[in-house]
Amino acid sequence: IQRTKTIWDNLNPEWSDQILLDYHFELVQDLRFEVYDRDSKSEDLATQDFIGYMETTLSRIMGSRGASYSSKLTGRNGKNDRYGEMIIRAEEVRSCQDIIHLQFAAEKLDRKNFFGLGRSD
């Protein structure tokens, strides 16, 4: 979807790039984050050193405590024991604009006293 800026010569980079996504609560939205060690000015990722990747879903990120999700990076070999960890923080930037009108009705309810016990009459 998007490429972040390069952070040069840093083993613990922190990106401040924002990626805007539409979040659909009812859909599974798979995400994959890839990390490369960029040693040259070339934009071609095939010429850079692949460090690892993280796969998750947007709902997992949004449902995490504080909308902050972390996971170890997985290398090309499928292992994730030495490739580092990625932390993703999300923020909802726009609330739902939908308005719901509810109407309730009931008939022949049992009368209860103030404490919800027995009949009040």
Side-chain angles (χ1 to χ4, degrees):
I1 296 174
Q2 185 174 327
R3 185 182 288 193
T4 64
K5 66 180 179 182
T6 298
I7 297 179
W8 298 97
D9 301 320
N10 190 330
L11 294 176
N12 297 298
E14 290 189 25
W15 293 271
S16 59
D17 300 52
Q18 294 182 4
I19 300 171
L20 296 176
L21 301 172
D22 288 330
Y23 175 48
H24 302 282
F25 180 77
E26 66 280 356
L27 297 177
V28 175
Q29 295 171 271
D30 294 316
L31 299 173
R32 179 179 171 114
F33 300 90
E34 295 184 353
V35 179
Y36 291 83
D37 179 13
R38 186 171 172 197
D39 296 321
S40 70
K41 298 286 183 185
S42 172
E43 293 290 326
D44 183 8
L45 292 180
T47 64
Q48 308 303 330
D49 297 323
F50 179 74
I51 294 176
Y53 69 93
M54 178 183 76
E55 293 180 327
T56 188
T57 62
L58 187 53
S59 61
R60 184 174 291 152
I61 295 170
M62 295 306 293
S64 298
R65 177 179 286 174
S68 180
Y69 177 79
S70 65
S71 179
K72 290 185 177 184
L73 294 175
T74 302
R76 286 201 197 279
N77 61 4
K79 296 182 180 178
N80 60 1
D81 54 352
R82 62 180 183 92
Y83 300 99
E85 182 176 23
M86 181 176 272
I87 302 168
I88 305 291
R89 291 183 188 90
E91 176 182 345
E92 186 175 352
V93 294
R94 180 175 52 104
S95 328
C96 179
Q97 298 294 324
D98 294 339
I99 298 173
I100 300 174
H101 295 280
L102 299 175
Q103 182 176 352
F104 295 94
E107 294 180 349
K108 301 181 182 174
L109 296 176
D110 185 23
R111 274 180 102 153
K112 301 289 182 188
N113 64 16
F114 182 73
F115 301 104
L117 303 171
R119 296 181 64 89
S120 62
D121 51 359

